[in-house]
Amino acid sequence: MSHEYYRQGRNWYTAIGVLFSVMAGIVLVRQLLIWGPEFVEEFLLNGDITNEKVSMAMLAFGMFMIALGFRRHEQKR
């Protein structure tokens, strides 16, 4: 296998990032459908720890893991 095709193997950082992002997206869409945008915005901006804030943190963590999975690896010679 040449060094150009290093990313062809398993990449669990990206897989975990996609998993977190999909789960956070499902929760946010569900909350939007049940409560509506006004209530979800209120839940995002109040001082309590709510499901929406946890979902936003999961989305941010998922994006971080995806970015971490796409970083360039230098092979040791």
Side-chain angles (χ1 to χ4, degrees), residues 32 35-48 50 52-53:
L32 282 171
W35 295 105
E38 296 84 20
F39 283 110
V40 173
E41 182 181 357
E42 182 180 330
F43 290 142
L44 278 172
L45 299 177
N46 67 8
D48 298 331
T50 60
E52 289 78 11
K53 290 178 186 173

Side-chain angles (χ1 to χ4, degrees), residues 11-71:
N11 184 354
W12 69 272
Y13 290 110
T14 304
I16 294 296
V18 168
L19 177 73
F20 269 81
S21 298
V22 167
M23 291 302 297
I26 288 171
V27 169
L28 287 174
V29 167
R30 184 192 67 180
Q31 293 296 87
L32 282 171
L33 291 175
I34 292 173
W35 295 105
E38 296 84 20
F39 283 110
V40 173
E41 182 181 357
E42 182 180 330
F43 290 142
L44 278 172
L45 299 177
N46 67 8
D48 298 331
I49 296 175
T50 60
N51 194 21
E52 289 78 11
K53 290 178 186 173
V54 172
S55 294
M56 293 301 288
M58 284 177 58
L59 194 60
F61 180 72
M63 286 188 228
F64 171 73
M65 291 297 283
I66 290 171
L68 193 63
F70 283 122
R71 71 177 185 224

